[in-house]
Amino acid sequence: MTQPEPTPVTGRPVVLRNGTVLTMDDAGTILPDADVLVVDDRIAAVGPALEVPEGTQEIDARGGIVMPGMIDTHRHMWQTAMRGYGADWTLTQYFVWYYLEHGRKFRPQDVAAGNRLSALESLEAGVTTTVDWSHGLQSVDHAEAAVSALRSVPGRFVLAYGNIQAAPWEWTADPAVRSFLERHRDSADGMLGLQLAFDVTGDPSFPEKAAFEVARDLGLPVTTHAGVWGATNDDGIRLMHEHGFMGPETVYVHAASLSPDSYHRIAATGGSISVSTESEQSAGQGYPPTWQVRRHGIPVSLSMDTSVWWSGDLFSAMRTTLGADRSREHFEAHLKGDTVTQLELRAEDVVRWATRGGAATLGRDDLGSLEAGKKADVVLIKNDASPVSFPVLNPYGHVAFQAQRGDVHTVLVDGRVVKHAHALVDSDLPGVRREIEDTVEHLRSELGEETWVAGMHPDLPDPKLLDNPYQYTDYKSEGTHAAREQVFEEHLANER
Ligand SMILES: [Zn+2]
């Protein structure tokens, strides 16, 4: 029996020894049986049998995969207190629930509770940077609560400031909001960045212009839900382009139901697309667009959108994005009578989107790869107790299709070990649980039991069961199992 490894203490160098290292550098270098040395907040060296400073703490990565921390470029973290509630929603239920009926009921402490839980959820899954697409900030108090929650968890975050309860040209004109943004922009330290988050409706008078001007004044990137069926479309992209508000820092979330013209405008101005494949598949923004956007050479990053449906886990995002892209490729070929014999999108591509892609989207050259001098955001995937942990023959394939959050053994953010031996380090999960219980209690009592239950269970559409010409009875099916059983019983009785 080997002794369990002690959890490394903060302030001393750490080396991960003898892992398969996915560096995600430009050349896509994979180093078998290599080490990653972390000193302070940086990666000091990557390579085999590294010499390390005295006092360096060792993590045995043998049999595991060492990769850069993953980056989620769009998640509504404030909604995490409603985890799983909207599993059967479409976008319509989502909009009604949050935008029209109940989003306003979230108090500052409810936003904070959701953010704190979501932040821990990220770290636990090896997501070291998360963009908090925070469109529930109906007051600056809400915004302060959101920030202090993010600051209380040792991950890297970007607050994308938004407010669905007011128009973007209204809330961005509020001096209190502006002063909040200036303050947090000036105190940015690499652990907390800022964006502005709002959508462009396509109204020909382009009222969002004023909000874009505020973003430009403040030097903040804009992130926007674009190409969302029934909500935002090509007109919004065209207006942004014609007014000169599309740039390399602009992030287009979903970008699913857009025409080639919009993709050309995005590609020409250097912006990137944040794909939330699980979301697009269930909620209905449009077909997950990677099969189109990769032909335009548009940079891609991955995101989870909201834990109201899905969990904040980029293994799911990588897997489902490969599936949706390949599914569409096969489908389009079959329509033409063709067969796809070589897949275009590779496992390596989605691992790159989950790491370097996110770093590029956020303009962070210091994140997304394991190279000397970069920030030490590192993930070790290793689970000796799991039959899925070996053999590791194709490391990218292993990450994209075999691994899951429970296999995340160790996570470092900014050189600090935040998860070790499959457990979060120094996290107050019981405290967060109490906060979440309080929020759920608050929302539930505000809504009332009937509304609460109804919100979780949207009406089913009328069943549409086809007549089956191969049935041996002459009854007209009512479409229910019970009806068929009854006919069958009668049939048997007649036989007797
Ligand atoms: Zn979203």
Side-chain angles (χ1 to χ4, degrees):
M1 269 305 272
T2 50
Q3 287 295 313
E5 229 168 40
T7 299
V9 297
T10 304
R12 277 166 51 193
V14 173
V15 66
L16 297 103
R17 286 280 193 207
N18 305 109
T20 298
V21 179
L22 301 185
T23 65
M24 305 317 293
D25 65 4
D26 289 341
T29 309
I30 300 177
L31 300 169
D33 201 20
D35 307 339
V36 175
L37 173 65
V38 171
V39 178
D40 300 324
D41 60 335
R42 301 276 171 177
I43 293 166
V46 180
L50 292 179
E51 296 214 11
V52 300
E54 204 176 309
T56 297
Q57 310 165 94
E58 288 209 5
I59 295 173
D60 180 10
R62 194 177 302 271
I65 296 171
V66 186
M67 65 179 283
M70 289 171 270
I71 298 173
D72 180 338
T73 54
H74 150 246
R75 195 189 313 163
H76 309 292
M77 296 173 75
W78 64 286
Q79 299 173 346
T80 309
M82 299 301 292
R83 183 189 298 291
Y85 182 89
D88 296 322
W89 281 0
T90 62
L91 266 189
T92 305
Q93 281 97 29
Y94 174 81
F95 285 147
V96 168
W97 203 94
Y98 277 105
Y99 286 44
L100 298 177
E101 290 176 351
H102 308 307
R104 213 181 278 276
K105 298 190 170 83
F106 281 68
R107 305 162 297 177
Q109 64 263 45
D110 303 321
V111 170
N115 271 18
R116 223 184 307 275
L117 182 59
S118 187
L120 290 176
E121 178 178 355
S122 280
L123 297 188
E124 210 265 337
V127 178
T128 50
T129 302
T130 311
V131 173
D132 178 19
W133 220 101
S134 194
H135 55 356
L137 304 181
Q138 48 189 314
S139 76
V140 171
D141 286 346
H142 286 75
E144 294 288 4
V147 164
S148 65
L150 297 177
R151 285 280 192 195
S152 73
V153 175
R156 224 179 271 286
F157 302 100
V158 173
L159 180 78
Y161 193 115
N163 176 7
I164 46 174
Q165 305 302 339
W169 53 93
E170 292 167 350
W171 62 260
T172 52
D174 179 347
V177 170
R178 202 183 164 104
S179 128
F180 171 93
L181 292 169
E182 281 168 345
R183 204 154 18 90
H184 288 283
R185 177 197 61 192
D186 297 341
S187 62
D189 56 3
M191 295 304 286
L192 186 76
L194 270 184
Q195 295 177 334
L196 285 193
F198 58 87
D199 297 343
V200 181
T201 61
D203 175 340
S205 70
F206 195 44
E208 296 87 359
K209 182 168 186 264
F212 280 106
E213 280 165 349
V214 170
R216 182 170 287 172
D217 274 5
L218 293 170
L220 298 178
V222 170
T223 176
T224 187
H225 291 109
V228 173
W229 183 260
T232 60
N233 55 32
D234 291 317
D235 293 333
I237 298 287
R238 185 180 43 76
L239 287 163
M240 285 172 67
H241 192 222
E242 285 170 0
H243 287 83
F245 291 117
M246 288 172 74
E249 75 292 348
T250 313
V251 184
Y252 307 87
V253 174
H254 303 305
S257 44
L258 292 175
S259 68
D261 179 68
S262 287
Y263 292 130
H264 286 312
R265 291 177 199 260
I266 294 170
T269 50
S272 65
I273 287 176
S274 173
V275 177
S276 310
T277 305
E278 279 192 299
S279 179
E280 289 129 28
Q281 287 179 318
S282 268
Q285 292 90 343
Y287 198 88
T290 60
W291 70 287
Q292 298 200 74
V293 305
R294 56 185 168 76
R295 297 180 194 166
H296 291 268
I298 299 171
V300 173
S301 63
L302 302 183
S303 60
M304 289 311 303
D305 205 347
T306 169
S307 294
V308 172
W309 281 268
W310 314 281
S311 78
D313 160 4
L314 289 187
F315 294 108
S316 308
M318 288 187 273
R319 192 175 299 188
T320 196
T321 300
L322 272 180
D325 190 291
R326 292 171 173 184
S327 176
R328 185 65 182 241
E329 214 186 333
H330 289 300
F331 180 72
E332 294 286 330
H334 297 176
L335 288 178
K336 292 182 249 170
D338 293 340
T339 302
V340 175
T341 54
Q342 281 118 356
L343 290 168
E344 276 189 42
L345 191 69
R346 299 301 168 109
E348 178 177 356
D349 296 323
V350 291
V351 178
R352 189 164 287 275
W353 288 347
T355 52
R356 286 292 287 278
T361 289
L362 301 180
R364 293 288 305 254
D365 293 344
D366 55 346
L367 304 178
S369 65
L370 300 179
E371 297 174 88
K374 298 258 183 157
K375 284 283 193 181
D377 293 3
V378 186
V379 171
L380 168 60
I381 296 168
K382 171 182 153 108
N383 188 353
D384 292 340
S386 165
V388 184
S389 66
F390 62 90
V392 177
L393 304 177
N394 173 347
Y396 293 123
H398 201 94
V399 170
F401 277 135
Q402 304 291 326
Q404 43 107 341
R405 68 159 64 228
D407 299 326
V408 173
H409 178 286
T410 293
V411 180
L412 285 85
V413 183
D414 212 44
R416 173 173 170 183
V417 176
V418 298
K419 184 180 183 185
H420 182 250
H422 302 283
L424 289 168
V425 176
D426 294 335
S427 73
D428 178 22
L429 208 51
V432 177
R433 185 188 290 267
R434 279 192 297 277
E435 290 175 10
I436 291 290
E437 282 168 355
D438 174 66
T439 287
V440 170
E441 181 58 40
H442 163 72
L443 292 170
R444 203 167 176 152
S445 69
E446 285 279 304
L447 267 63
E449 198 57 21
E450 203 178 319
T451 308
W452 174 266
V453 172
M456 208 180 327
H457 303 288
D459 293 339
L460 275 170
D462 290 335
K464 298 178 196 77
L465 199 66
L466 298 176
D467 281 338
N468 183 340
Y470 299 109
Q471 276 160 339
Y472 61 89
T473 55
D474 55 0
Y475 73 97
K476 279 283 174 214
S477 169
E478 291 296 309
T480 66
H481 183 68
R484 280 195 296 271
E485 287 277 283
Q486 198 193 332
V487 171
F488 185 61
E489 291 298 324
E490 284 165 9
H491 180 78
L492 285 181
N494 288 342
E495 295 277 282
R496 277 185 219 117

